[in-house]
């Protein structure tokens, strides 16, 4: 089977999946990049170890490479398309060839009267008119299926997907032993490590972590919070820490390489993920769970309903509800066995299920079943490539 993955550029969240595909298919797998990586992503540390991988075709670099990429889009048995012009998809669908779109939720900003016509026309042009074709959706958000279904697209043709950053093969027991906090017999001791990492921007709500720290300190909990990253809110956050006298329990070391962030995750007891509905997927959830953190995450984040089973391998709080966030974190501070259990289960979730190798194996089985016009909805109970159920869509009340 020849498979081609087409997207804007090859980043660290797609690379493990591509490598696993190469291990499975060899020369029969190619990745087509339709544009260069943006400067913003490069500054955020998305640069890869190599300029070009043997399986990668940078179609934007020459007319010859673009023609080669477009030919691959037609000839391949299966194509996955992320961000790419219709010139890659329409000739293929005219030939009724199996094709998968790959998308986060399209309605992060909601639908309003002034953009309704534009959204409806765009949905029909790029998705709806192909409903009778062998075109399926790989949902890189738990809210993707609902967004598209509202506008009549991909009903019954949507499967769980996401991003698959490197999944390290830890021994969960050894990983948990390396956490900063020791075994405890009760409330408020010893010092627990709490981590937040990402761009310091409004819709990621890093300020929620500082408000949490203020509340925890007032209640006498022993903790050390680290907020990693840079962004437009950096000065505001420093001022909040100073104004609330939190310098003794909250630190902001600035930006750092992804490998350094992972090192912090491996030592952290609790990871905070506070983004709202603008967070399409959120690969830090994969990474923090893989690192054995007890994650407390907003329900609005695209990856959360897919990866977290509330109370088993993470805790989910209501988006924007500071009281709920504080309640969930306090529960972890007070219950060491629960914190350890959640961290261990989180690590096992990534090692056993949400990783590139498993995604490849499941995708190959899904593609084979659909190409033979078989029933794919019962292939997998959960995880990548299982059928997506439509969740309550909260796009209209995004905060």
């Amino acid at each position: 089977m020849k498979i081609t993955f087409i997207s804007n550029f090859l980043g660290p969240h797609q690379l493990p999946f591509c490598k696993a595909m190469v291990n499975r298919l060899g020369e029969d797998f190619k990745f087509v990049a339709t544009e260069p990586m943006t400067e913003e992503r490069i500054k955020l540390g998305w640069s890869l170890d190599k300029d070009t991988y043997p399986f990668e075709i940078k179609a934007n670099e020459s007319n010859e490479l673009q023609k080669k990429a477009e030919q691959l889009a037609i000839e391949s048995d299966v194509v996955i398309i992320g961000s790419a012009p219709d010139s890659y998809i329409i000739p293929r669908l005219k030939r009724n060839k199996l094709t998968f779109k790959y998308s986060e939720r399209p309605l992060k900003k909601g639908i309003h009267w002034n953009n309704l016509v534009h959204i409806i026309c765009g949905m029909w042009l790029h998705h709806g008119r192909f409903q009778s074709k062998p075109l399926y959706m790989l949902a890189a958000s738990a809210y993707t299926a609902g967004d598209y279904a509202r506008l009549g697209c991909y009903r019954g043709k949507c499967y769980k997907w996401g991003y698959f950053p490197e999944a390290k093969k830890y021994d969960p027991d050894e990983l948990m032993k390396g956490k900063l906090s020791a075994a405890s017999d009760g409330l408020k001791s010893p010092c627990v490590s709490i981590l937040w990492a990402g761009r310091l921007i409004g819709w990621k709500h890093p300020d929620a972590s500082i408000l949490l720290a203020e509340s925890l300190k007032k209640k006498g909990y022993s903790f050390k919070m680290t907020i990693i990253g840079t962004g437009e809110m950096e000065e505001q956050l420093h001022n909040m820490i100073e104004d609330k006298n939190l310098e003794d329990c909250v630190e902001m070391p600035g930006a750092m390489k992804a490998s350094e962030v992972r090192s912090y995750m491996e030592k952290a007891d609790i990871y905070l993920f506070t983004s709202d509905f603008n967070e399409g997927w959120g690969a830090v959830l994969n990474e923090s769970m893989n690192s054995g953190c007890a994650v407390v995450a907003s329900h609005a984040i695209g990856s959360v309903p897919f990866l977290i089973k509330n109370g088993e391998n993470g805790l989910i709080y209501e988006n924007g509800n500071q009281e709920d966030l504080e309640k969930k974190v306090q529960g972890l501070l007070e219950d060491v066995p629960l914190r350890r259990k959640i961290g261990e289960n989180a690590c096992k979730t990534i090692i056993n299920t949400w990783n590139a190798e498993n995604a490849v194996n499941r995708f190959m089985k899904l593609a084979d079943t659909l190409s033979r016009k078989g029933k794919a909805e019962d292939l997998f109970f959960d995880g990548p490539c299982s059928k997506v159920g439509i969740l309550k869509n909260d796009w209209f009340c995004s905060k």
Side-chain angles (χ1 to χ4, degrees):
M1 183 179 288
K2 181 180 288 187
I3 296 178
T4 299
F5 186 172
I6 304 170
S7 194
N8 48 3
F9 51 77
L10 179 62
H13 300 153
Q14 293 95 352
L15 183 59
F17 174 79
C18 291
K19 287 182 174 180
M21 270 290 191
V22 171
N23 289 339
R24 181 73 176 265
L25 297 176
E27 290 292 322
D28 285 335
F29 174 79
K30 291 289 185 289
F31 180 93
V32 173
T34 60
E35 59 189 63
M37 186 179 293
T38 63
E39 285 298 321
E40 179 188 12
R41 294 298 181 185
I42 292 171
K43 289 178 181 177
L44 289 172
W46 281 43
S47 297
L48 302 177
D49 295 334
K50 299 179 182 179
D51 291 334
T52 302
Y53 288 82
F55 57 82
E56 182 183 10
I57 298 172
K58 294 185 176 181
N60 61 287
E61 292 190 344
S62 71
N63 289 333
E64 182 181 352
L65 289 174
Q66 183 172 339
K67 289 179 181 179
K68 180 179 179 180
E70 290 176 346
Q71 191 62 32
L72 266 176
I74 294 173
E75 294 176 350
S76 297
D77 299 302
V78 181
V79 166
I80 304 171
I81 297 181
S83 176
D86 283 346
S87 60
Y88 286 95
I89 188 171
I90 291 176
R92 179 174 181 82
L93 292 178
K94 284 181 177 179
R95 293 165 172 80
N96 290 311
K97 306 197 76 173
L98 181 60
T99 308
F100 293 86
K101 283 275 189 133
Y102 170 38
S103 174
E104 296 178 359
R105 67 178 312 184
L107 302 179
K108 291 178 184 178
K109 302 296 183 181
I111 299 178
H112 307 282
W113 67 268
N114 58 340
N115 67 0
L116 180 59
V117 173
H118 175 76
I119 288 174
I120 290 175
C121 291
M123 280 287 186
W124 180 85
L125 181 64
H126 299 294
H127 305 279
R129 61 180 171 143
F130 305 124
Q131 190 67 17
S132 63
K133 298 292 185 178
L135 177 65
Y136 299 84
M137 174 57 65
L138 297 176
S141 167
Y143 299 101
T144 297
D147 278 2
Y148 280 112
R150 283 178 179 273
L151 296 166
C153 302
Y154 302 106
R155 290 176 176 170
K157 302 176 75 177
C158 205
Y159 297 90
K160 290 184 181 180
W161 201 242
Y163 294 98
F164 302 97
E166 180 187 5
K168 295 186 178 181
K169 305 295 184 183
Y170 299 106
D171 179 322
D173 289 332
E174 290 299 317
L175 179 63
M176 300 312 293
K177 289 178 183 177
K179 298 293 181 180
L180 291 181
S181 65
S184 169
D185 59 355
L187 186 63
K188 300 180 183 176
S189 65
C191 184
V192 175
S193 172
I194 302 175
L195 178 64
W196 188 103
R199 287 179 289 161
L200 305 179
I201 56 178
W203 56 262
K204 287 184 178 284
H205 303 285
D207 51 319
S209 62
I210 295 178
L211 294 176
L212 168 67
E214 179 185 28
S215 175
L216 296 178
K217 183 176 180 179
K218 287 179 179 178
K219 294 175 181 177
Y221 289 97
S222 178
F223 68 95
K224 183 70 174 182
M225 181 180 292
T226 303
I227 300 172
I228 299 173
T230 59
E232 62 193 36
M233 293 182 67
E234 188 169 359
E235 183 178 355
Q236 174 189 340
L237 297 173
H238 277 294
N239 290 339
M240 286 180 68
I241 293 170
E242 184 177 348
D243 292 344
K244 297 177 184 299
N245 297 313
L246 298 174
E247 294 95 335
D248 61 329
C249 58
V250 181
E251 64 175 357
M252 290 181 61
M256 57 182 65
K257 295 179 180 179
S259 59
E260 294 176 297
V261 176
R262 282 300 287 262
S263 179
Y264 271 82
M265 288 178 175
E266 290 165 358
K267 296 174 183 176
D269 298 295
I270 298 171
Y271 186 86
L272 305 176
F273 199 6
T274 55
S275 298
D276 60 30
F277 291 100
N278 288 286
E279 188 76 72
W281 176 259
V284 291
L285 182 59
N286 304 62
E287 295 165 342
S288 56
M289 290 177 69
N290 187 204
S291 301
C293 298
V295 178
V296 183
S298 160
H299 86 279
I301 297 162
S303 58
V304 167
F306 280 179
L307 269 63
I308 293 182
K309 294 180 180 179
N310 193 37
E312 295 183 22
N313 62 357
L315 295 179
I316 303 173
Y317 74 94
E318 182 185 8
N319 177 53
N321 188 333
Q322 187 71 23
E323 183 180 350
D324 193 24
L325 169 61
E326 293 174 8
K327 181 180 177 181
K328 295 295 197 304
V329 173
Q330 287 174 28
L332 291 173
L333 291 172
E334 296 171 14
D335 193 337
V336 177
L338 175 64
R339 197 168 69 229
R340 180 183 176 89
K341 182 196 81 170
I342 286 177
E344 287 179 344
N345 289 343
C347 182
K348 291 174 183 177
T349 296
I350 303 303
I351 291 174
N352 297 332
T353 304
W354 283 96
N355 58 71
E357 290 76 15
N358 193 42
V360 165
N361 292 335
R362 287 176 169 221
F363 179 78
M364 295 290 290
K365 189 171 183 179
L366 175 64
D368 180 64
T369 301
L370 292 175
S371 66
R372 291 185 286 103
K373 303 187 185 304
K375 291 185 178 181
E377 54 266 28
D378 299 324
L379 282 177
F380 313 108
F381 174 72
D382 198 10
C385 293
S386 57
K387 201 70 174 285
V388 175
I390 297 176
L391 300 180
K392 176 185 176 183
N393 245 322
D394 297 281
W395 50 265
F396 54 85
C397 61
S398 266
K399 297 181 182 179

